[in-house]
């Protein structure tokens, strides 16, 4: 009879989770937050929206370049991180290669959720643990969203409290003019997340993004 140590199994599964495409440098930056005592009206509005149990899952903050929307994203991320309430943050940057950055969005969010919620981590292991093609080869939004977020959330114990996620500069993902870009996918599929999810998205008011989220 062969006895397998459960801890070595978990370590093996954790190693497999680390094969997911986590985006380096995509986390919010405290050095880019708002100046002290500025943007308070926007910040208070966002905080109230996060805590309101009847609010919509997605809040889209639009503004032209230089209007401070990214500073607000970094600031609100800092504030919720300080109270251990930020589930994940993802900052798109125009100088980072578009395709790889887009495809790392869902793996990054999934791994951040796994760090915070043990039941979700267990379900994520179950969903992708034995599927190398999912961990290393998936290159479409549908597969990544389904197997890294929606299905593990269905299998895990309910997450209590609001799950706050910040996505900054969506227009910088390089596909704002395409009909089937990431912006369109997010607009169509974020409502399929549990009702306690709150996703703040900032962007320039480009037509493709406005049409997708309208």
């Amino acid at each position: 009879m062969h006895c397998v140590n459960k801890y070595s199994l978990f370590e093996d599964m954790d190693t497999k989770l680390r094969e997911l495409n986590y985006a380096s440098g995509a986390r919010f930056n405290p050095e880019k937050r708002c100046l002290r005592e500025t943007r308070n009206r926007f910040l208070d509005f966002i905080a109230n929206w996060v805590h309101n149990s009847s609010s919509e899952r997605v809040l889209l903050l639009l503004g032209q370049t230089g209007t401070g929307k990214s500073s607000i994203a970094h600031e609100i991320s800092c504030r919720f991180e300080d109270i251990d309430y930020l589930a994940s943050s993802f900052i798109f940057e125009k100088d980072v290669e578009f395709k790889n950055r887009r495809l790392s969005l869902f793996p990054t969010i999934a791994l951040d959720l796994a760090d915070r919620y043990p039941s979700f981590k267990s379900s994520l292991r179950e969903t992708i643990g034995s599927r190398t093609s999912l961990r290393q080869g998936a290159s479409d939004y549908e597969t990544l969203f389904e197997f890294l977020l929606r299905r593990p959330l269905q299998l895990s114990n309910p997450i209590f409290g609001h799950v706050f996620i910040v996505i900054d500069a969506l227009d910088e993902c390089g596909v704002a003019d395409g009909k089937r870009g990431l912006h369109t996918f997010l607009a169509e599929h974020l409502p399929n997340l549990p009702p306690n999810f709150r996703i703040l998205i900032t962007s320039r008011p480009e037509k493709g993004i406005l049409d997708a989220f309208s």
Side-chain angles (χ1 to χ4, degrees):
M1 179 179 297
H2 180 64
C3 182
V4 179
N5 187 313
K6 67 177 181 178
Y7 296 106
S8 64
L9 286 177
F10 284 154
E11 289 174 358
D12 179 60
M13 295 303 294
D14 286 346
T15 299
K16 291 179 178 178
L17 288 183
R18 287 193 289 271
E19 294 175 6
L20 292 174
N21 183 21
Y22 193 92
S24 175
R27 186 179 185 270
F28 74 92
N29 185 347
E31 295 181 357
K32 296 182 179 181
R33 62 194 305 176
C34 298
L35 296 175
R36 188 180 298 275
E37 300 303 323
T38 63
R39 307 292 183 179
N40 286 332
R41 182 167 63 89
F42 287 100
L43 296 166
D44 290 343
F45 180 89
I46 294 169
N48 290 333
W49 162 74
V50 172
H51 293 296
N52 185 347
S53 60
S54 62
S55 60
E56 298 288 342
R57 290 177 180 83
V58 179
L59 178 63
L60 191 61
L61 178 63
L62 300 171
Q64 297 291 354
T65 301
T67 54
K69 59 189 181 299
S70 287
S71 295
I72 291 173
H74 288 277
E75 177 69 33
I76 201 70
S77 297
C78 287
R79 293 189 181 192
F80 276 78
E81 175 79 1
D82 287 345
I83 60 174
D84 195 27
Y85 211 93
L86 180 70
S88 183
S89 63
F90 195 98
I91 312 300
F92 283 104
E93 294 181 295
K94 62 182 178 181
D95 295 330
V96 179
E97 195 273 323
F98 289 144
K99 182 178 179 181
N100 183 63
R101 202 63 157 185
R102 296 196 304 264
L103 293 178
S104 64
L105 174 63
F106 297 132
T108 300
I109 293 175
L111 288 171
D112 284 344
L113 293 179
D115 287 341
R116 291 182 61 86
Y117 307 109
S119 178
F120 177 85
K121 185 175 184 177
S122 177
S123 298
L124 184 61
R125 287 192 189 112
E126 180 180 342
T127 303
I128 68 166
S130 61
R131 304 182 186 187
T132 304
S133 64
L134 281 177
R135 300 193 309 272
Q136 300 184 17
S139 59
D140 63 284
Y141 304 135
E142 187 76 42
T143 299
L144 293 168
F145 181 83
E146 174 68 18
F147 287 95
L148 300 185
L149 289 177
R150 197 188 70 82
R151 193 169 298 188
L153 285 167
Q154 282 187 329
L155 295 173
S156 67
N157 295 331
I159 297 175
F160 295 103
H162 290 133
V163 179
F164 183 42
I165 297 169
V166 176
I167 301 174
D168 179 48
L170 179 60
D171 54 284
E172 296 293 0
C173 71
V175 289
D177 294 327
K179 291 183 178 179
R180 297 305 304 169
L182 177 60
H183 58 294
T184 303
F185 185 89
L186 291 175
E188 293 177 352
H189 290 79
L190 289 181
N192 295 328
L193 293 174
N196 60 330
F197 271 65
R198 297 290 180 271
I199 303 99
L200 172 67
I201 299 175
T202 75
S203 173
R204 291 196 302 265
E206 298 192 1
K207 185 178 184 304
I209 290 175
L210 291 173
D211 289 346
F213 282 93
S214 62

